[in-house]
Amino acid sequence: MNKSLLFCLLSLAFPAQAGTLLPPGATDQSPSHLQSAPLPQGESERKPVSFAWALDPQADLEAQAPFLAESREFWALAEASEMQAGLAIDTTAAGAVIRISPAQGGRAVDPDQVRMFKNGSSIAEPQSFQRKANAAQLKAAGMDVPDGSAIVQLAKEQGQGRFQLQLPQAKGRYLVHVYEPDSAYVFKAQATRRSLLAGDTLEVAAGLQRGETRLAGGQVGGALVSPSGRSYPLSFRNGKAQLKVPAEAGTEPGLWEVQLSAGTAANGSSVQRDARTAVEVTRPTARLGGGYGFHAAALRFDLPLQVAAAGRYELRGTLYATGPDGVSRPVAQAHAANWFEPGQRGLGLAFGRGNVPTGFGAPFELRFLELKDQTRMGTLETRELALREGGAVAPVRPDPVRGRVSQR
């Protein structure tokens, strides 16, 4: 029998079952209220789309963790007078890599003009550098560096300590980036969530470590910076900071950047580290309605939405089915999107019986459910475990082999 006709007949035999979504978990995102928002400039796609594909049931799926920044580097903005006299740089390991890039009014840097001093004493060439390169050489090697930049790496024999970086012909300003690949001192920073809604509280944990040992004391500071450059200071206490994201945020295109710095004293010299990570900030323009309808024959979940701003919205989720061993495993993923005006709307995730492996069936789970505002490129709601559904259709069985007579 034609499979489409079979599904239609089964749908008539097994009408939709209504249910309620599980409450959001501790790591889930769920809007407490909705806000309207203007449409971005330009044309937006409005055509509805829905598709699904099978997954490997043996593959382990996990929710994506927030990015963990690990830094062995720091930046300094130096004036021409500082570069001419010798910019002081403390290193904690041999072989530090230093990049010098012209900033406001700065002239291109010739690596052959860079001079190094240690504790005030000049280091003669060629003992000062292990390697050096100009912008053209760096770009030819595939590095994306600003025009006029140069990189030098301190010779391993010079060890660590306090150095002075001199550029006798400096003019204007320069951005100096110091990277210590072999340093034991690492600055780790992580936001507790990858995405936030306007009005939510951003939480950031950050600390300086030597190896696996957390260093006491020192200073940690930073700011949350919007895509347009507006800065909101972060105040740290015991390695953690909290900041309420402005309620009017979420209309600017682009990610928000968390810019952090740390410093301490060790073995008579200073340790400096800078780190950056990014978070997505979205205005809460829509949310899940709280209920769902389950069509067992077609393996489709219909989810009502509350929409506060016109736009194109997307649902994506992963279907877990129970295998012959009684263990729930991922078997299919589905996406659906459509344009909606404000009001009570809905989207359906149709996984399709054909994407379910032989022997898998109810109970089902809908996991890693996400609601996105495609028009404003933001995540509105997430559920690591959205629902459990008993279903009403038996596990998928192998197709019978034609022309074969069964034997008893």
Side-chain angles (χ1 to χ4, degrees), residues 9-18 292 294-301 353 360-364 388-397:
L9 294 176
L10 288 173
S11 298
L12 294 174
F14 298 97
Q17 304 169 36
Y292 70 90
F294 176 57
H295 298 264
L299 284 185
R300 189 179 81 243
F301 294 90
R353 297 285 297 176
F360 283 79
F364 299 104
R388 290 189 176 94
E389 176 59 58
V393 178
V396 173
R397 301 184 182 278

Side-chain angles (χ1 to χ4, degrees), residues 94-389:
V97 179
I98 304 172
R99 188 181 79 189
I100 312 165
S101 301
Q104 183 179 6
R107 61 174 49 161
V109 181
D110 181 353
D112 290 329
Q113 298 297 318
V114 179
R115 301 288 180 264
M116 292 302 298
F117 296 75
K118 187 171 185 181
N119 298 322
S121 298
S122 176
I123 305 174
E125 289 280 8
Q127 289 80 27
S128 54
F129 301 121
Q130 183 171 322
R131 58 174 60 90
K132 51 189 176 181
N134 59 29
Q137 292 168 323
L138 295 170
K139 290 182 178 181
M143 293 185 63
D144 184 15
V145 297
D147 291 338
S149 298
I151 283 183
V152 295
Q153 182 177 20
L154 294 176
K156 293 277 188 179
E157 294 74 21
Q158 299 303 326
Q160 64 188 65
R162 173 156 292 186
F163 294 86
Q164 290 79 38
L165 172 71
Q166 186 186 59
L167 192 61
Q169 299 179 2
K171 179 183 178 181
R173 290 181 172 181
Y174 295 85
L175 182 64
V176 179
H177 173 226
V178 181
Y179 171 53
E180 300 186 84
D182 297 327
S183 176
Y185 292 92
V186 58
F187 181 37
K188 295 186 177 183
Q190 186 176 43
T192 56
R193 293 167 64 177
R194 295 183 298 116
S195 63
L196 297 164
L197 297 170
D200 283 355
T201 298
L202 169 70
E203 297 183 13
V204 181
L208 195 58
Q209 298 179 194
R210 189 180 190 279
E212 297 301 319
T213 303
R214 184 87 173 227
L215 298 180
Q219 298 290 326
V220 177
L224 175 66
V225 182
S226 75
S228 63
R230 188 171 181 180
S231 181
Y232 303 86
L234 288 167
S235 298
F236 281 84
R237 183 177 181 181
N238 297 325
K240 295 184 178 179
Q242 291 187 341
L243 173 69
K244 187 173 182 180
V245 179
E248 66 273 14
T251 58
E252 301 173 272
L255 294 173
W256 290 55
E257 193 169 58
V258 182
Q259 301 178 356
L260 304 170
S261 62
T264 191
N267 300 321
S269 62
S270 68
V271 180
Q272 294 176 263
R273 293 291 182 263
D274 294 319
R276 296 185 179 186
T277 186
V279 293
E280 178 189 291
V281 178
T282 307
R283 183 166 289 194
T285 53
R287 63 184 174 190
L288 298 170
Y292 70 90
F294 176 57
H295 298 264
L299 284 185
R300 189 179 81 243
F301 294 90
D302 292 331
L303 294 122
L305 307 177
Q306 298 175 15
V307 178
R312 182 181 169 88
Y313 294 92
E314 177 195 2
L315 271 179
R316 57 179 66 176
T318 302
L319 178 70
Y320 276 62
T322 305
D325 56 0
V327 177
S328 183
R329 292 190 173 91
V331 296
Q333 191 167 86
H335 290 198
N338 202 354
W339 180 276
F340 293 125
E341 296 296 326
Q344 301 297 321
R345 311 299 176 194
L347 278 171
L349 290 177
F351 293 94
R353 297 285 297 176
N355 287 324
V356 179
T358 298
F360 283 79
F364 299 104
E365 293 178 347
L366 182 57
R367 290 182 172 268
F368 306 116
L369 181 66
E370 291 186 346
L371 173 63
K372 292 181 174 290
D373 184 339
Q374 287 189 340
T375 304
R376 300 165 189 87
M377 296 184 293
T379 301
L380 298 169
E381 192 157 359
T382 64
R383 300 291 178 91
E384 189 167 342
L385 175 59
L387 61 90
R388 290 189 176 94
E389 176 59 58

